[in-house]
Amino acid sequence: MKYKPYDYQTFATNFVLEHPACGLILDMGLGKSVITLTALWSLLLDSFDVGKVLVVAPKRVAENTWPTELKKWEHLDGLTWSLVLGSEKDRRAALQCRAKIYIINRENVAWLVDNYRWDFDTLVIDELSSFKSSKAQRFRALKRVRPRISRVIGLTGTPQPNGLLDLWPQMYLLDMGQRLGRFVGGYRERFFLPDKRSRQMVFSYKPRDGAEEAVYGLISDICISMRAGDYLDMPECVYNRVEVAMSGKEMELYGKLEKDMLLPFADGDIDAVNAAGLSNKLLQMANGAVYDENGRVRRIHDRKLEALEDLIEAANGKPVLVAYWYKHDLQRIVERVKAVELDTAEDMKRWNAGEVPVAVIHPASAGHGLNLQAGGSTLVWFGLTWSLELYQQMNARLWRQGQKDTVVVHHLIAKGTMDERVMAALERKDCGQAALVEAVRARIGGGKDGDREAV
C-alpha cells in the first residue's frame, strides 16, 4: 500500500529524526508504528545513522502489528526484520538471522540482556508506559544497556496511568536521567511529599505544589503528544453508565464482606486477607459471583447479566463487544448470552468480518495494538478495572481511525459498591493525565483547527 502521510505524521517522523531520544505520546489510531518505521527506514537505509534496531513491544503487538505494518507499506521496502519470539531455541535462532530490525516481546527483555552480546544501537519501546516501575526486571535490564544505545524512541498513549511518579523510569530510559534526575529517590524528594504513612513507613506520595508544571516543562523538549480528535475526523464516542441494583439480601452479604473481610460458608469461606484482596472480592461480588477459599465460584446475583441482555436486545442486531475481568464472569456471560470469546487471530478476523454478534474479550489481551473497529461500535464493560491504561486502550479498540459509526461505551455499575469508586478513580486519573498530554502537545499546521505552530 502506498503511504500518504498526514501532516501530523510527517511532523512526528521528523521529530524522531531530529531527536536521538524522544517520546511520542500519541492517541491510539494515529499510526505510531508507521511513523516510527518511516523514520527508521531513513536512519537505516538513507542516512545510515544507525545499524541495528531492537523493537520491544507487548507480545501480540510484537507478533502481529509490527510485522503487518512492515509488510503493508511500499515505502518500507528494504527493511528486513526478525521476530525474537517463542522458545529459547527459536529466539536464539532469530537473533542469528541477518536483519535490520529485531522484534521482541517485553517479557523477554531481561533474558536478552543476560544472554546476548548487546549490539543494538537503536531501541524502540512500544508502550513505554509498561516500563513505569523502576523495580521491574525489564526496566533494570534496559537500564544496564542504555549507555550503549545511541537512539531511543518511546511510544505510548498513556504516559502516567497511575500518576506523576510513573514518569521517572520512562524518562530515564529516554535520557538516562538528564531531565528528571539519575535516581528515583532524588526525583521523589524533589517533586513529591509523603502522603499516606505509618510512622517511618511511607505508603504513597503526592506531588508538591507546581510539580506537574515543572516536570512537564523539563521533558517537553523530547516529548510530543497528539490527540486523535485534533488530527482525524474521529466518530463521536458516547460514555454511558448503566446502574444495576442488588437486592437487600445481596447488599447485606456485600456489606458483611466489606466490614468483616469474611463471608462464612459450610464448605468454603469467602475471605480477604488484605485491603487489595478485599477490593478484588468486592468487585467480584458487584459483578455477581466470587471465588471462595477453595477456588469454587459462589454465585451471588445475576443483575449485571440481566442488564447485559437488555443492552444486547437494545442493540437490535448490531454487534456488541463485552469486556470482562474475572474467569467466572466469562463463563457466566458465555452461558447467558452465547457470546464468542475473542482469543485467537482467527476470532479477531471473524469479529471484524461481522460474523460474531456478541463477543467477549479480556482487556489485558486486547489492550495494545488490536484493530477491532470493523466489527462493531458498541462496547460493554461488564466489570471495571483500576488500570487507566487498560481501560483507555480497550476503548480504543473500537474508537479509532476507520470506525464509521458512533462508538457507545456502556459501564455496568452496581449501585453502592466498589464499582462506583473504580469509575470515579478512572475519571480522576484521566483528568490528571490530560494535563501532561496538553503540556507536551505538538502544535503543527494541518490540525483540524488549522492554526497550530511547531514548538
Side-chain angles (χ1 to χ4, degrees):
M1 182 181 294
K2 191 170 182 62
Y3 181 50
K4 297 179 180 178
Y6 292 94
D7 289 346
Y8 77 83
Q9 290 176 314
T10 300
F11 178 88
T13 294
N14 289 335
F15 189 85
V16 172
L17 294 173
E18 294 163 6
H19 294 79
C22 64
L24 302 185
I25 305 169
L26 270 60
D27 267 0
M28 291 67 78
L30 286 178
K32 294 190 287 286
S33 301
V34 70
I35 287 169
T36 304
L37 287 169
T38 302
L40 290 177
W41 188 95
S42 180
L43 292 167
L44 285 162
L45 300 176
D46 187 15
S47 65
F48 305 105
D49 285 341
V50 303
K52 196 171 183 180
V53 178
L54 179 71
V55 174
V56 178
K59 186 175 184 298
R60 290 194 186 212
V61 177
E63 198 169 34
N64 298 313
T65 304
W66 283 89
T68 299
E69 291 290 302
L70 280 158
K71 290 182 284 188
K72 178 179 179 180
W73 303 107
E74 290 179 11
H75 74 294
L76 300 179
D77 185 45
L79 284 184
T80 53
W81 72 92
S82 180
L83 293 179
V84 189
L85 303 172
S87 66
E88 182 171 352
K89 180 180 178 181
D90 292 338
R91 298 196 299 271
R92 289 186 181 277
L95 289 167
Q96 295 302 314
C97 293
R98 293 190 63 181
K100 296 292 186 183
I101 299 174
Y102 294 78
I103 306 167
I104 192 169
N105 57 308
R106 60 196 178 196
E107 292 81 7
N108 281 320
V109 166
W111 169 85
L112 180 67
V113 172
D114 290 339
N115 294 277
Y116 182 74
R117 184 181 62 82
W118 191 272
D119 59 353
F120 301 102
D121 55 14
T122 298
L123 173 67
V124 177
I125 307 176
D126 194 352
E127 297 309 332
L128 180 63
S129 58
S130 64
F131 286 79
K132 60 182 177 289
S133 171
S134 59
K135 297 179 181 178
Q137 281 190 336
R138 65 181 70 159
F139 169 80
R140 291 180 174 180
L142 286 185
K143 183 182 178 184
R144 281 163 49 195
V145 295
R146 177 60 184 87
R148 291 145 69 180
I149 301 169
S150 59
R151 281 186 172 270
V152 179
I153 305 165
L155 309 173
T156 187
T158 52
Q160 50 163 349
N162 297 305
L164 203 61
L165 273 171
D166 288 351
L167 284 180
W168 183 84
Q170 300 173 66
M171 292 304 112
Y172 184 93
L173 292 179
L174 295 187
D175 69 1
M176 291 186 288
Q178 291 182 31
R179 287 161 182 79
L180 301 185
R182 294 181 56 203
F183 303 100
V184 67
Y187 172 68
R188 200 165 46 220
E189 184 176 340
R190 182 179 176 187
F191 294 108
F192 298 84
L193 292 169
D195 188 12
K196 297 178 182 177
R197 63 191 304 167
S198 176
R199 295 185 180 179
Q200 300 303 313
M201 180 68 70
V202 178
F203 298 108
S204 65
Y205 292 84
K206 59 184 178 181
R208 295 177 182 270
D209 290 342
E212 287 192 356
E213 294 79 4
V215 169
Y216 302 159
L218 288 170
I219 68 173
S220 63
D221 63 322
I222 61 168
C223 294
I224 57 169
S225 76
M226 294 179 176
R227 291 173 173 167
D230 290 336
Y231 302 102
L232 300 176
D233 290 325
M234 296 287 285
E236 185 181 3
C237 188
V238 178
Y239 295 89
N240 182 39
R241 293 191 183 207
V242 180
E243 292 188 335
V244 301
M246 294 159 62
S247 70
K249 185 176 181 180
E250 291 157 359
M251 283 303 298
E252 186 177 338
L253 289 173
Y254 181 92
K256 182 173 178 56
L257 177 62
E258 187 174 33
K259 178 183 177 183
D260 300 336
M261 301 177 71
L262 176 70
L263 279 181
F265 288 90
D267 55 348
D269 297 340
I270 297 172
D271 64 339
V273 296
N274 52 37
L278 178 61
S279 170
N280 184 42
K281 295 294 184 184
L282 292 175
L283 284 172
Q284 290 184 53
M285 186 172 282
N287 289 353
V290 192
Y291 290 114
D292 68 17
E293 61 184 352
N294 298 315
R296 286 186 294 237
V297 178
R298 300 283 182 177
R299 292 203 175 204
I300 308 298
H301 64 82
D302 288 341
R303 310 299 175 186
K304 287 194 176 183
L305 289 171
E306 293 164 358
L308 177 60
E309 281 185 321
D310 292 342
L311 290 174
I312 293 171
E313 183 179 351
N316 200 25
K318 290 181 63 178
V320 175
L321 183 61
V322 183
Y324 77 94
W325 197 250
Y326 301 102
K327 285 185 177 180
H328 57 62
D329 292 339
L330 170 64
Q331 294 164 357
R332 292 183 301 124
I333 292 167
V334 170
E335 178 184 303
R336 185 73 171 243
V337 300
K338 310 304 179 191
V340 174
E341 183 183 7
L342 300 187
D343 188 43
T344 67
E346 183 59 31
D347 297 330
M348 313 291 177
K349 185 177 179 181
R350 289 183 57 217
W351 163 263
N352 279 325
E355 298 172 3
V356 181
V358 182
V360 62
I361 194 167
H362 195 285
S365 68
H368 303 293
L370 293 181
N371 297 320
L372 300 176
Q373 70 272 24
S377 59
T378 302
L379 173 64
V380 180
W381 281 91
F382 187 85
L384 296 173
T385 170
W386 287 102
S387 170
L388 174 65
E389 182 176 14
L390 287 181
Y391 174 74
Q392 291 181 329
Q393 293 276 1
M394 183 68 240
N395 293 343
R397 296 314 103 209
L398 299 187
W399 190 63
R400 62 193 295 116
Q401 188 178 8
Q403 175 61 258
K404 297 178 174 60
D405 301 314
T406 297
V407 173
V408 180
V409 181
H410 298 289
H411 309 85
L412 298 183
I413 298 175
K415 293 172 63 176
T417 72
M418 186 66 68
D419 278 353
E420 295 178 337
R421 293 175 59 185
V422 175
M423 193 73 247
L426 289 171
E427 292 169 347
R428 286 197 306 272
K429 288 179 182 179
D430 195 21
C431 291
Q433 184 159 268
L436 169 56
V437 171
E438 182 63 29
V440 296
R441 185 172 167 191
R443 306 185 187 280
I444 63 176
K448 287 180 69 176
D449 59 13
D451 61 358
R452 292 180 177 81
E453 298 176 354
V455 293

